[in-house]
Amino acid sequence: MTLSEEDYIKAIYHLSEFNSKSVATNAIAEQMKTKPSSVTDMIKKLAEKSLVNYKKYQGVSLSEKGRLVALSIIRKHRLWEVFLVDKLNFSWDEVHVVAEQLEHIKSDALIDKLDAHLGFPKVDPHGDPIPNKDGVFTKSVKKLISELPVGSQGVCVGVNDSSAAFLKFLDKNKISLGDTFKILEIEEFDESVTISTRSGSIRISKQIATNLFLEIVDVE
């Protein structure tokens, strides 16, 4: 497969991750920042390789073969992110762009050894699950802060927005994965949320609350 084909497969997987229906070519074009006609040409190539199911005007879905290819690419990407943060001291807002290049390395033996070297991590630096070599991964039950009521308490396990700007904001406010948060107050007017963190209480905007995932813990 070409690098471009792999990028399309991964994009289709992410677009369909929370929606079992077929993905529109316009949505893929927006994700890939290209023209719908270019997407259609690529989808036809992928269909010829039995990687996607495609019918004109009915959208696109990954075949089982395509799903496994997507998970292999995602596994490599997330393992490289762990390596860059844990072994090379990259910050979590820097690793995505570098991992985008490393994910296209073809050697399965290298990736298996990288996985073992890292101790078989289950999540990447952003809290996203890492598939094993068979494409299996554990899904945790997590909710966005914006979906939770006052009094809820949980561990920060992921971000919905992995852009450098958002991750830098979290670093600036000493918010990290693994931190325990408690929701203290929700402002009715603008839906901003006051949470307790390891460095004290902080008020976060609705936009931030819709981008932080908590794994809820029971409070006795």
Side-chain angles (χ1 to χ4, degrees):
M1 292 181 66
T2 66
L3 303 190
S4 182
E5 287 172 340
E6 289 188 348
D7 287 340
Y8 269 85
I9 289 291
K10 189 174 73 166
I12 295 168
Y13 178 87
H14 285 309
L15 287 168
S16 62
E17 195 171 5
F18 301 106
N19 185 352
S20 58
K21 296 180 180 179
S22 296
V23 178
T25 52
N26 283 343
I28 301 170
E30 184 177 347
Q31 177 85 359
M32 299 298 295
K33 296 180 173 58
T34 190
K35 297 180 294 185
S37 58
S38 299
V39 172
T40 301
D41 290 341
M42 176 58 77
I43 293 306
K44 289 178 179 177
K45 292 179 183 178
L46 296 175
E48 288 173 0
K49 295 184 177 183
S50 301
L51 293 165
V52 300
N53 305 306
Y54 172 65
K55 288 186 179 180
K56 197 172 182 180
Y57 307 123
Q58 294 185 26
V60 184
S61 63
L62 292 177
S63 65
E64 180 60 17
K65 178 181 176 182
R67 188 184 72 86
L68 291 174
V69 169
L71 288 169
S72 174
I73 298 165
I74 290 166
R75 176 184 181 229
K76 289 185 284 187
H77 181 102
R78 293 175 180 173
L79 284 172
W80 282 120
E81 287 193 334
V82 175
F83 176 79
L84 291 168
V85 169
D86 289 0
K87 305 300 181 181
L88 298 185
N89 298 318
F90 277 73
S91 61
W92 66 339
D93 60 281
E94 298 175 315
V95 295
H96 181 73
V97 174
V98 182
E100 285 278 310
Q101 301 169 50
L102 295 170
E103 70 185 24
H104 297 293
I105 292 174
K106 303 297 183 185
S107 173
D108 291 333
L110 171 62
I111 299 305
D112 288 344
K113 288 191 175 184
L114 176 65
D115 196 6
H117 177 67
L118 295 171
F120 304 102
K122 301 298 183 186
V123 295
D124 71 9
H126 310 111
D128 294 315
I130 300 174
N132 65 17
K133 63 181 180 180
D134 298 317
V136 177
F137 58 89
T138 302
K139 288 187 177 181
S140 63
V141 178
K142 58 186 182 180
K143 287 194 173 184
L144 294 167
I145 289 178
S146 59
E147 299 173 339
L148 297 169
V150 171
S152 299
Q153 182 169 310
V155 178
C156 184
V157 293
V159 294
N160 204 25
D161 178 358
S162 58
S163 67
F166 181 60
L167 298 178
K168 286 178 181 176
F169 170 85
L170 297 182
D171 283 339
K172 181 180 177 181
N173 288 278
K174 297 181 173 61
I175 295 174
S176 303
L177 297 188
D179 288 349
T180 298
F181 300 153
K182 184 175 183 180
I183 299 177
L184 303 176
E185 181 184 9
I186 300 174
E187 179 59 52
E188 183 178 356
F189 175 68
D190 62 1
E191 298 181 59
S192 59
V193 182
T194 301
I195 60 173
S196 64
T197 71
R198 55 192 166 97
S199 57
S201 63
I202 180 176
R203 181 177 290 275
I204 59 175
S205 67
K206 179 183 178 182
Q207 182 180 4
I208 297 165
T210 57
N211 279 299
L212 282 176
F213 285 107
L214 296 188
E215 189 173 68
I216 304 306
V217 296
D218 294 326
V219 181
E220 294 183 0

